[in-house]
Amino acid sequence: LSPDCSFTCHYRCRALVRLDCSGPLGTGDEDDGSEQALEKDTNVDEPSEWEKTELDQAQVEQRIKEYNSQINSNLFMSLNKDGSYTGFIKVHLKLVRPVSVPATKRIPSVQAGRPGPRTQGVKRRTSFYLPKGTVKHLHIFSHTRASEVIDALLRKFTVVDNPRKFALFERSEKDEQVYLRKLADEEQPLRLRLLAGPSEKVLSFVLKENETGEVNWDAFTLPELHNFLRILQREEEEHVRRLRHRYARCRQKMQEAL
């Protein structure tokens, strides 16, 4: 647990982590404050205006030309001979719970009378928080489904959690409000990207936990549940510490005034 940024990782993984954590520790209340203030009127049910738009072959070709003319990078879309097209989407990973990845610990092979450097692998799992602001570009087809995008993201980060624990959302900003809509498994993100254009304010993709109401704790393994309990305890202790610090400062100010 870093004293500066509260980044948490497994103690055996600490030497492998490279983060710039030189900044001072904040109060925690201002994290993502602008985002939370912007999303206070989030509407998750209202469909986007391009959701039901249908395009013929000529319209698809014209949209791709317009899209490519508006971007300032080399992340172009390309039309294929069979009428499909390929392109890039950017996904923001905003996960509030830790994810599990495989970890292999090498331990010596103990054999009487045969000492040596032989080792054997022991399969383990470890959990950690993805850093805030994590973004991933994916090159996909027009027929790639939202569920396949989730699978690809989990493979990129070697996450071994069940893909059903996650959901892909479309996010848009309009009239100082943020609209979030969970994509169905069969929806095609690249098609939505083409219809909305390259603007991130008009449309962006976000990977979040698949919130379906109550958390299904039975879907987690025992090591994950124990890890969650430890994380909750640390969060509680940190919250109590900040509250005590805040009240101590208020008490000090009052005493100075007296």
Side-chain angles (χ1 to χ4, degrees):
L1 178 64
S2 169
D4 295 324
C5 66
S6 296
F7 178 80
T8 305
C9 72
H10 192 271
Y11 74 95
R12 292 195 184 97
C13 306
R14 183 169 53 190
L16 304 176
V17 176
R18 296 292 184 268
L19 291 176
D20 182 12
C21 297
S22 57
L25 180 65
T27 63
D29 297 332
E30 67 273 9
D31 290 344
D32 298 329
S34 58
E35 182 77 4
Q36 291 176 1
L38 193 63
E39 291 196 9
K40 63 183 179 181
D41 295 324
T42 294
N43 188 326
V44 297
D45 299 319
E46 185 172 327
S48 54
E49 58 188 30
W50 55 79
E51 183 183 352
K52 298 181 180 180
T53 304
E54 296 293 339
L55 301 177
D56 57 29
Q57 184 68 17
Q59 290 174 322
V60 168
E61 185 175 0
Q62 181 62 29
R63 288 279 187 136
I64 291 178
K65 290 180 180 179
E66 294 175 357
Y67 181 93
N68 290 339
S69 67
Q70 296 174 27
I71 62 175
N72 298 320
S73 63
N74 59 350
L75 304 180
F76 299 108
M77 289 196 188
S78 302
L79 183 64
N80 302 320
K81 293 181 179 180
D82 61 358
S84 64
Y85 50 95
T86 58
F88 293 86
I89 62 169
K90 182 168 69 172
V91 182
H92 302 261
L93 284 76
K94 296 186 178 181
L95 303 177
V96 297
R97 293 197 289 267
V99 294
S100 298
V101 296
T104 302
K105 178 184 176 183
R106 308 296 294 182
I107 63 174
S109 176
V110 181
Q111 294 185 4
R114 297 183 58 184
R118 291 186 60 189
T119 60
Q120 66 183 31
V122 177
K123 292 184 178 180
R124 298 177 181 269
R125 297 176 69 180
T126 186
S127 299
F128 72 100
Y129 283 104
L130 282 175
K132 291 183 179 180
T134 301
V135 176
K136 189 66 180 178
H137 285 87
L138 293 176
H139 186 255
I140 62 175
F141 289 90
S142 55
H143 52 75
T144 301
R145 299 172 298 167
S147 59
E148 294 172 326
V149 169
I150 295 174
D151 290 339
L153 287 170
L154 298 184
R155 287 196 304 270
K156 288 284 186 181
F157 290 95
T158 64
V159 175
V160 295
D161 292 310
N162 191 325
R164 305 302 301 176
K165 295 180 182 179
F166 308 93
L168 191 65
F169 290 79
E170 66 171 24
R171 178 187 185 277
S172 60
E173 299 179 22
K174 185 178 180 181
D175 299 329
E176 298 185 353
Q177 291 190 15
V178 170
Y179 296 86
L180 282 176
R181 184 180 69 87
K182 185 168 72 172
L183 299 184
D185 289 344
E186 301 300 321
E187 291 193 67
Q188 301 163 339
L190 189 61
R191 174 181 171 274
L192 297 175
R193 179 81 277 167
L194 176 63
L195 294 173
S199 173
E200 285 284 302
K201 285 191 175 183
V202 176
L203 173 70
S204 60
F205 295 106
V206 182
L207 183 72
K208 290 188 173 187
E209 282 84 7
N210 189 13
E211 301 292 354
T212 57
E214 297 264 344
V215 177
N216 182 18
W217 295 111
D218 293 333
F220 295 93
T221 63
L222 283 177
E224 288 177 320
L225 292 173
H226 286 301
N227 193 43
F228 291 157
L229 288 174
R230 287 193 294 267
I231 291 171
L232 286 175
Q233 180 179 356
R234 290 179 181 178
E235 289 179 350
E236 180 183 5
E237 292 172 352
E238 178 63 18
H239 188 61
V240 170
R241 185 192 68 80
R242 291 175 178 174
L243 281 176
R244 287 176 175 171
H245 178 69
R246 182 184 305 171
Y247 280 97
R249 291 191 61 182
C250 290
R251 187 178 298 108
Q252 180 183 359
K253 294 294 183 181
M254 292 179 186
Q255 290 175 347
E256 291 175 355
L258 290 173

